[in-house]
Amino acid sequence: MTAQLDVAALKSQLTGPMFLPGDPGYDEERATFNLNTPLIPAIVVGAATVGDVQAAIRFAAGNGLAVATRGGGHLVPRSGAGQLLLTLDRMTSWRIDASRASVRVTGAPRWGQLMEPLAEHGLAGMNGSSPNVGVVGYLLGGGLSPVLSRSEGFASDHITAIDVVNGDGELRTATATENADLFFALRGSKGNVGVVTAVEFGVFPIRTVYGGGLWFAIDKLAEFLPLWRDWAATLPEQAGTSVGIQRLPDLPGVPDPLRGASVVHLRYSYVGAAAEGEALLEPFRKLGTPVFDTVAEIPFSASGTIHNDPPAPLPYFDRGTGLRELPDEALVRLVELTGPDSGCPLVNVEVRVLGAALDREPAAPDALPTRGLAYQFTGFAVGGPDEAEFMIGWLRKVIGGMRPWADPRQMPNFISPEAAHTPQELRDTYGPELYDRIVAVKEKYDPANLFRVNHNFVRS
Ligand SMILES: Cc1cc2nc3c(=O)[nH]c(=O)nc-3n(C[C@H](O)[C@H](O)[C@H](O)COP(=O)(O)OP(=O)(O)OC[C@H]3O[C@@H](n4cnc5c(N)ncnc54)[C@H](O)[C@@H]3O)c2cc1C
């Protein structure tokens, strides 16, 4: 395909490098976290300036190419085969305004790059469970912070301004009052309306968090789940929790007591006095001796240790759904599907508790579909293409097994690569009214649907 494209003309307009398949550096540029969902672009532009982003988008528009964006590489819903890929690492910067508790990022920073610089000012951002996730991709999908979301809502509720290059190659700033329709669509529809070059958002004066993980042997699961559900319902907003039902690999990097273990992982955080956080955890101290215990008062910048997500890329499949409720029958079913006698091979099946500030409407309308949703339920299977049928079969069994309690909505950041690929599926996830409002903005700012290497909003 590139043979017919005047790539020399594009290159002459760029400050940053351009890569074609086979070029040194091409593979590094297109690398993503999930080795099962590679990007296979015809051209990669390693943008170094906003001008590079604009030139690349105009070139793609003029040549009928779709545009993909790789930020932190943690969710690639489509392969991007044959398209123009923009990487923004060379534009990465951040400016912290401690007096306003605000930060402006450009390019593609990962949360892990920001956490220490914020901590130096006594500040904390609303990062997710893994510090390796990209800040911008995360914010555009809402951003569910395991530590701060129940008290502060979605990370995207705290965005004050977004710079974005749309399908016409124009750079626009979106705020609650300027290009308000763009500001609405960007906070929830991810990369559908353009390539974001900068975001400004609020952060919080927090230095430490009491939290970590308690891992129990999986034969405790039936006793653990009702205790956890009832306890979670009583927690104050400063506390966050989720549970992971895990079969951990016997690999370096997994802490020794957990290597090869089948466990139930209580994730817990409390923003406040350590003694209060410890007192709240009391019911689980009575459950027996955990296999592994990392709960302590920790610097906020170490909050990634609560989930302990894998840091390095790996091949995996995932599926998820929202859950409306977890009555006793649902918990019994979950034990049948994932418990000690289930034969379940999934590395992690998790339930995240939502609610509290996540149910509050933001100051300016946004495109997130999940306010009022009780839980996000997600399964992860590690394995390459040769195990796809087996692992996806198990994901379908576990996610499908919880269907009686499922909600069609789920967190945009948790929609798996294989899910919501048809307009109808995506419409069900967002609800028809919100879906149509997003489509209207998309048609205004990206009428040619350049930004379709995505969970794509199109008129259905
Ligand atoms: C291990 C792991 C843990 C996670 N934990 C959480 C969590 O706790 N909470 C949570 O909310 N989510 C979580 N996620 C999901 C994560 O937030 C999303 O996958 C997010 O989209 C990743 O962003 P990225 O930049 O790393 O990924 P990328 O794959 O680079 O980007 C994903 C998509 O975001 C869009 N995008 C990225 N950058 C731009 C840009 N500059 N302009 C326009 N569009 C852009 C594009 O549509 C792109 O396809 C987790 C994911 C993983 C793999």
Side-chain angles (χ1 to χ4, degrees):
M1 170 190 272
T2 42
Q4 296 112 46
L5 297 171
D6 189 358
V7 289
L10 171 61
K11 197 170 165 49
S12 70
Q13 296 173 57
L14 299 174
T15 318
M18 188 183 83
F19 305 87
L20 301 178
D23 284 352
Y26 172 85
D27 284 339
E28 286 78 3
E29 291 296 314
R30 70 192 181 108
T32 60
F33 181 71
N34 185 350
L35 303 177
N36 286 339
T37 55
L39 285 159
I40 314 163
I43 305 174
V44 183
V45 171
T49 61
V50 172
D52 285 355
V53 175
Q54 293 177 297
I57 289 175
R58 289 189 173 123
F59 180 84
N63 288 281
L65 297 177
V67 176
T69 313
R70 200 259 303 133
H74 272 60
L75 188 138
V76 173
R78 292 173 192 263
S79 76
Q83 316 304 340
L84 186 150
L85 172 65
L86 270 161
T87 61
L88 306 179
D89 301 319
R90 291 166 187 80
M91 293 171 61
T92 297
S93 75
W94 52 86
R95 198 173 65 227
I96 298 167
D97 182 343
S99 65
R100 290 173 54 229
S102 171
V103 55
R104 177 181 162 89
V105 301
T106 61
R110 316 308 194 257
W111 276 110
Q113 291 175 279
L114 280 192
M115 289 163 87
E116 279 301 335
L118 284 170
E120 284 166 19
H121 294 277
L123 295 169
M126 292 189 70
N127 53 278
S129 56
S130 164
N132 300 317
V133 163
V135 173
V136 178
Y138 171 91
L139 287 171
L140 300 180
L144 173 66
S145 160
V147 178
L148 291 179
S149 273
R150 281 178 36 88
S151 55
E152 308 298 343
F154 287 96
S156 61
D157 294 350
H158 302 279
I159 297 177
T160 44
I162 304 176
D163 287 354
V164 59
V165 181
N166 301 118
D168 57 1
E170 290 300 312
L171 175 70
R172 293 180 177 85
T173 296
T175 70
T177 51
E178 185 181 354
N179 296 311
D181 52 356
L182 264 181
F183 195 59
F184 148 77
L186 281 164
R187 293 170 303 133
S189 73
K190 305 200 88 170
N192 264 276
V193 289
V195 176
V196 170
T197 56
V199 187
E200 184 187 272
F201 56 94
V203 290
F204 299 87
I206 300 170
R207 289 180 185 275
T208 59
V209 55
Y210 181 82
L214 284 182
W215 282 260
F216 295 96
I218 202 160
D219 50 18
K220 290 268 182 208
L221 186 65
E223 195 184 343
F224 176 98
L225 285 175
L227 174 68
W228 175 77
R229 174 202 56 194
D230 295 345
W231 169 80
T234 67
L235 288 177
E237 293 191 354
Q238 309 98 288
T241 186
S242 65
V243 57
I245 303 162
Q246 302 175 335
R247 268 85 186 168
L248 295 169
D250 186 358
L251 288 175
V254 178
D256 264 346
L258 298 176
R259 283 176 71 156
S262 296
V263 283
V264 49
H265 174 190
L266 170 70
R267 292 88 168 251
Y268 172 63
S269 63
Y270 181 77
V271 180
E276 289 167 15
E278 195 179 338
L280 282 172
L281 204 52
E282 177 73 20
F284 292 93
R285 293 297 180 197
K286 294 187 183 142
L287 192 64
T289 311
V291 180
F292 193 53
D293 177 353
T294 64
V295 178
E297 185 168 33
I298 53 175
F300 193 95
S301 55
S303 58
T305 59
I306 297 172
H307 277 242
N308 211 21
D309 287 336
L314 71 173
Y316 69 94
F317 307 96
D318 64 320
R319 284 283 159 91
T321 180
L323 293 177
R324 293 188 316 276
E325 53 178 355
L326 278 176
D328 289 345
E329 317 85 87
L331 298 183
V332 170
R333 186 82 185 108
L334 190 53
V335 175
E336 286 166 6
L337 291 163
T338 64
D341 304 320
S342 63
C344 175
L346 303 181
V347 69
N348 187 33
V349 175
E350 69 174 34
V351 188
R352 296 197 187 198
V353 171
L354 308 176
L358 287 163
D359 291 347
R360 288 180 208 138
E361 289 300 324
D366 69 9
L368 291 173
T370 52
R371 290 193 174 80
L373 184 66
Y375 304 97
Q376 172 71 33
F377 181 62
T378 313
F380 296 89
V382 173
D386 52 332
E387 290 178 279
E389 200 181 325
F390 175 69
M391 291 300 184
I392 291 174
W394 263 98
L395 287 168
R396 287 199 181 120
K397 179 174 166 172
V398 170
I399 302 298
M402 298 299 284
R403 187 156 300 128
W405 307 283
D407 192 298
R409 300 171 299 159
Q410 66 164 312
M411 298 274 158
N413 271 349
F414 290 75
I415 305 174
S416 76
E418 297 92 20
H421 265 189
T422 68
Q424 190 55 49
E425 285 166 345
L426 198 58
R427 199 178 162 88
D428 290 344
T429 304
Y430 279 73
E433 194 192 330
L434 181 56
Y435 184 91
D436 288 344
R437 284 183 65 201
I438 296 169
V439 168
V441 181
K442 164 101 173 150
E443 288 178 343
K444 178 172 166 191
Y445 291 100
D446 181 27
N449 197 13
L450 291 183
F451 307 112
R452 58 182 179 270
V453 189
N454 237 317
H455 287 118
N456 194 211
F457 289 80
V458 287
R459 199 159 287 283
S460 52

